[in-house]
């Protein structure tokens, strides 16, 4: 089949940070009589990207990711840092030290709602594990959620970081793909390279470092279709474990050398593009 049409809904979740307790959810619309289940992706916005801004800035990206067969849930909390359990990290905007916990709380909420037979979350395929992704400070949240013991505890099995802003570089413990760019003057590419190269990560996991020549910090929002395409491709290989889906050869798209492959021109000119297959 081709890609899915999608729908959008919101939930108010009282376990989220009080700065904003709305969670946006995008999900595929199924054909009548069809009951597929889809993997869950918990997405974390960047600084000044929560609240009502989330609607305008991130919805095109999240909708696009969902169209590849994912249920995407995104917190609006902590637009300028979290209000509760507020922790400041060196050189970072204040209040984001525990922001990653919002990404994890979204996962907990979805699990609980599915057990109560929520009609949207009843469609989540928990057997694949969970995917996580995020932009800027949400990229850092995704880094933290994929590191330490967080991924194991939440059954997170694949991650994608979009221009992560961080001054702490824990090694991810799951397959991850990290986007950055030479035109990003906010979250410079060296930040992404630092956690890509961090010792102590999963030695058997696939990982990718995508440093596009012309990409600025807002690439996931301004070039959302391309970013969503390769983000979905990474999840197809490392979350769904479905290398051929919706008519796409995802193995070739991510790791191949054709004109549509990630590092071979599909995402444009690269300063450096490094893909390490898992074993």
């Amino acid at each position: 089949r081709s890609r899915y049409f999608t729908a959008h809904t919101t939930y108010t979740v009282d376990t989220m940070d009080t700065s904003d307790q709305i969670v946006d959810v995008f999900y595929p619309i199924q054909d009548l009589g069809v009951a597929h289940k889809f993997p869950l992706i918990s997405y974390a916005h960047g600084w000044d990207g929560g609240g009502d801004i989330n609607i305008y800035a991130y919805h095109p990206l999240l909708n696009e990711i969902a169209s590849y067969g994912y249920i995407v849930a995104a917190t609006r909390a902590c637009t300028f840092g979290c209000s509760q359990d507020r922790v400041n990290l060196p050189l970072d905007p204040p209040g984001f030290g525990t922001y990653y916990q919002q990404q994890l709380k979204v996962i907990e909420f979805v699990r609980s709602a599915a057990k109560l037979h929520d009609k949207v979350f009843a469609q989540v395929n928990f057997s694949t594990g969970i995917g996580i992704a995020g932009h800027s400070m949400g990229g850092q949240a995704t880094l933290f959620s994929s590191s330490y013991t967080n991924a194991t505890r939440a059954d997170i099995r694949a991650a994608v970081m979009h221009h992560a802003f961080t001054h702490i570089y824990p090694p991810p413990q799951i397959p991850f793909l990290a986007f950055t760019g030479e035109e990003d003057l906010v979250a410079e590419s060296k930040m992404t390279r630092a956690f890509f190269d961090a010792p102590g990560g999963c030695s058997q996991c696939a990982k990718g470092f995508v440093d596009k020549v012309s990409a600025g910090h807002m690439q996931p929002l301004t070039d959302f279709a391309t970013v969503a395409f390769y983000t979905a491709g990474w999840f197809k290989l490392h979350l769904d474990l479905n290398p051929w889906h919706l008519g796409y050869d995802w193995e070739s798209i991510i790791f191949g050398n054709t004109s549509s492959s990630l590092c071979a021109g599909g995402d444009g000119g690269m300063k450096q593009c490094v893909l390490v297959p898992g074993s």
Side-chain angles (χ1 to χ4, degrees):
R1 63 160 301 142
S2 59
R3 287 161 53 192
Y4 291 90
F5 291 106
T6 62
H8 167 246
T9 190
T10 59
Y11 296 80
T12 299
V13 183
D14 61 11
T15 57
M16 303 303 291
D17 187 81
T18 54
S19 56
D20 196 318
Q21 296 188 318
I22 293 177
V23 173
D24 288 279
V25 179
F26 296 83
Y27 59 97
I29 298 174
Q30 304 209 49
D31 297 332
L32 188 65
V34 176
H36 289 307
K37 288 183 177 288
F38 305 99
L40 172 69
I41 297 172
S42 179
Y43 195 92
H45 63 75
W47 183 88
D48 193 20
D52 291 340
I53 296 298
N54 181 288
I55 297 172
Y56 304 104
Y58 287 95
H59 280 208
L61 173 68
L62 304 182
N63 183 73
E64 194 80 5
I65 294 172
S67 74
Y68 290 99
Y70 296 99
I71 295 177
V72 183
T75 177
R76 292 191 190 183
C78 308
T79 298
F80 298 107
C82 299
S83 298
Q84 299 170 290
D85 300 322
R86 192 174 178 86
V87 174
N88 301 332
L89 297 179
L91 304 177
D92 284 357
F96 280 94
T98 57
Y99 174 45
Y100 74 95
Q101 294 176 7
Q102 302 301 306
Q103 188 174 48
L104 300 177
K105 286 180 179 181
V106 167
I107 298 170
E108 293 173 2
F109 160 68
V110 172
R111 289 189 188 279
S112 297
K115 290 178 181 177
L116 296 174
H117 308 291
D118 177 271
K119 66 178 183 180
V120 174
F121 298 134
Q123 302 175 69
V124 174
N125 182 0
F126 292 105
S127 69
T128 66
I130 309 298
I132 55 173
H135 172 232
S136 192
M137 298 311 300
Q140 182 192 66
T142 302
L143 173 62
F144 290 176
S145 293
S146 63
S147 304
Y148 311 113
T149 60
N150 292 320
T152 300
R153 290 203 306 264
D155 197 22
I156 298 168
R157 301 189 195 177
V160 179
M161 297 79 163
H162 297 152
H163 296 253
F165 184 96
T166 187
H167 295 90
I168 298 175
Y169 314 105
Q173 301 300 315
I174 56 175
F176 72 95
L177 180 65
F179 290 87
T180 185
E182 289 301 294
E183 295 297 317
D184 191 338
L185 304 181
V186 177
E188 298 180 54
S189 59
K190 64 183 180 182
M191 291 181 174
T192 297
R193 189 73 205 207
F195 66 79
F196 180 80
D197 290 334
C202 172
S203 61
Q204 298 174 334
C205 293
K207 62 180 182 177
F209 173 77
V210 183
D211 184 5
K212 184 175 179 178
V213 171
S214 61
H217 190 61
M218 305 308 286
Q219 182 200 15
L221 310 184
T222 58
D223 191 16
F224 61 86
T226 302
V227 172
F229 179 67
Y230 291 109
T231 296
W234 189 259
F235 286 128
K236 292 298 176 191
L237 296 180
H238 301 104
L239 185 62
D240 310 30
L241 306 182
N242 194 354
W244 184 271
H245 189 222
L246 303 177
Y248 294 104
D249 179 353
W250 295 108
E251 187 76 32
S252 175
I253 286 167
I254 297 299
F255 290 105
N257 56 12
T258 69
S259 60
S260 63
S261 299
L262 176 58
C263 289
D267 191 26
M270 297 288 168
K271 173 69 179 293
Q272 191 172 28
C273 195
V274 181
L275 294 170
V276 179
S279 59

